[in-house]
Amino acid sequence: MSMPTKIPARPVAILALVIASACWGLSFPIMHALSAAQSHLLPGVSSWFISSWCLTLRFFIAALMVGTWYLWRGQLRGWTRLEIAQAVGLGIFTACGMLLQMDGLSYTSASSSAFITQSYCFILPVFFAFRDRRLPFWPVTLGCVMVLFGIGILSGVDLRNMVLGRGEWETLGAAVFFSAQILWTERPHYVSNHMGRVSALAFTITGALLIPIVALTAPSASALLTVYSSGPLIVCLAVLTLICTLAGMVLMFTFQRSVGALSAAVIYCT
């Protein structure tokens, strides 16, 4: 879990982001299955509780692991203002995006969620077009369009029969926050930040922002344990935490700056 102190080479960064994408891809069916199982354990429980409690555990455990590692290495000292600012932004965007995405999975299929999440392939080029007042290079635009169509074909999504219900709208909102997360990760004046410290603080902020939602939606204190009262549920949480959250996010935060937001958006679609 050692963080590079200099900007990684582009081929290495691309490979790292592909691995991060694989970590996130695993999360769609697991989150969908976990939400369904927990809803069966507590009929009528709010999906906001299931989503926010899972994410709170995931990000606090990830923060503890990253923080412990860098504390042992003596690298949790020397925080800078820019590192704190980057972590705060990443924490906010991650909390909002992940909560909407996971709650949306309770109301739509994993394939539809995966497809709609890739909307940042259109959101980011549009953002850059307005910001720079020029159209993106045509290879980037073509790549975004082809990737989005490919995702649709592979996931079996039929746009003619797709209904934009609660799950789809929440996932679309998640894509907006993920777009902001991608842009915030690579802001030029954050290039010298120590991404180990940034990751630890960002994970902590993400978990902390979700605690009020857990408190407001939990049917009882015992429900916190009930939804993880069996081995398979704990295994799902462990996989989501170690692979989808810890590995995926740390790779993104560390290596995306070597690739650029638009190229990263296409890579993340893998």
Side-chain angles (χ1 to χ4, degrees), residues 3-250:
M3 300 289 174
T5 56
K6 61 180 181 179
I7 302 299
R10 184 177 174 87
V12 174
I14 290 174
L15 177 60
L17 295 186
V18 170
I19 295 173
S21 302
C23 295
W24 297 331
L26 183 64
S27 71
F28 287 96
I30 293 180
M31 286 192 299
H32 193 274
L34 183 62
S35 297
Q38 292 173 328
S39 297
H40 181 73
L41 282 175
L42 291 174
V45 69
S46 170
S47 59
W48 291 115
F49 165 67
I50 291 175
S51 303
S52 59
W53 181 225
C54 176
L55 291 168
T56 298
L57 292 173
R58 286 169 59 179
F59 281 94
F60 273 148
I61 294 171
L64 179 63
M65 295 180 70
V66 175
T68 301
W69 173 257
Y70 284 102
L71 179 64
W72 178 72
R73 291 172 61 90
Q75 296 179 353
L76 275 188
R77 298 185 297 271
W79 288 86
T80 67
R81 180 181 60 83
L82 288 177
E83 287 173 351
I84 295 172
Q86 186 179 26
V88 169
L90 290 175
I92 293 171
F93 296 138
T94 301
C96 295
M98 292 297 296
L99 180 62
L100 287 172
Q101 183 189 58
M102 187 165 183
D103 190 73
L105 270 166
S106 299
Y107 302 95
T108 188
S109 66
S111 60
S112 293
S113 178
F115 174 72
I116 297 173
T117 298
Q118 313 310 321
S119 297
Y120 51 67
C121 263
F122 279 124
I123 295 172
L124 289 174
V126 170
F127 169 82
F128 282 112
F130 276 101
R131 189 195 68 176
D132 301 335
R133 296 183 179 180
R134 63 178 176 83
L135 293 175
F137 293 118
W138 70 264
V140 173
T141 303
L142 179 62
C144 291
V145 172
M146 290 178 65
V147 163
L148 200 57
F149 273 104
I151 292 288
I153 293 171
L154 290 173
S155 61
V157 172
D158 186 350
L159 295 178
R160 294 170 298 179
N161 297 324
M162 178 179 283
V163 178
L164 290 178
R166 172 175 171 174
E168 289 76 18
W169 281 116
E170 285 185 358
T171 307
L172 189 58
V176 174
F177 283 107
F178 290 148
S179 298
Q181 180 195 52
I182 291 171
L183 292 169
W184 197 263
T185 299
E186 68 160 60
R187 296 187 73 188
H189 50 291
Y190 294 150
V191 69
S192 299
N193 285 356
H194 186 286
M195 295 312 294
R197 291 194 290 263
V198 170
S199 298
L201 182 56
F203 291 162
T204 303
I205 292 171
T206 300
L209 289 174
L210 295 167
I211 289 179
I213 301 175
V214 176
L216 290 171
T217 58
S220 65
S222 62
L224 299 175
L225 297 177
T226 301
V227 290
Y228 291 103
S229 57
S230 70
L233 296 177
I234 295 174
V235 169
C236 285
L237 177 63
V239 172
L240 288 171
T241 300
L242 299 177
I243 298 178
C244 307
T245 301
L246 183 60
M249 290 292 183
V250 168

